[in-house]
Amino acid sequence: MAVNWSDLDESEQTALKRLNRGPYPELQADMAERLIALGIAERRPRGVGINRDGRELVISTLLNHRQD
């Protein structure tokens, strides 16, 4: 399932951007489960982290905003 930035609500977008910067210990469990279910985050030994698809989504969104 491909996820577009516009498919995410503002809190999901914020959480994904914070995960893109590194560990996000304040990430709520329900939000983590939602991002995992969307296929843009994954469980890791040290907690939930952004995966390749999530990182590509954040980076492409940031690059598109710079070009506008």
Side-chain angles (χ1 to χ4, degrees):
M1 162 167 105
V3 176
N4 294 312
W5 193 250
S6 60
D7 296 334
L8 304 176
D9 66 28
E10 187 176 341
S11 63
E12 293 165 338
Q13 292 173 354
T14 299
L16 196 61
K17 286 190 281 188
R18 288 184 179 166
L19 283 171
N20 191 52
R21 290 186 217 130
Y24 180 30
E26 294 84 18
L27 182 64
Q28 298 294 316
D30 59 335
M31 177 64 70
E33 292 303 320
R34 168 87 174 132
L35 297 176
I36 291 168
L38 290 170
I40 52 180
E42 60 190 27
R43 280 186 182 62
R44 297 188 176 153
R46 292 186 161 187
V48 174
I50 193 169
N51 65 17
R52 182 178 298 256
D53 291 336
R55 192 171 310 279
E56 288 176 4
L57 180 59
V58 171
I59 291 170
S60 67
T61 299
L62 293 174
L63 289 175
N64 286 335
H65 283 316
R66 284 187 179 171
Q67 294 173 358
D68 292 342

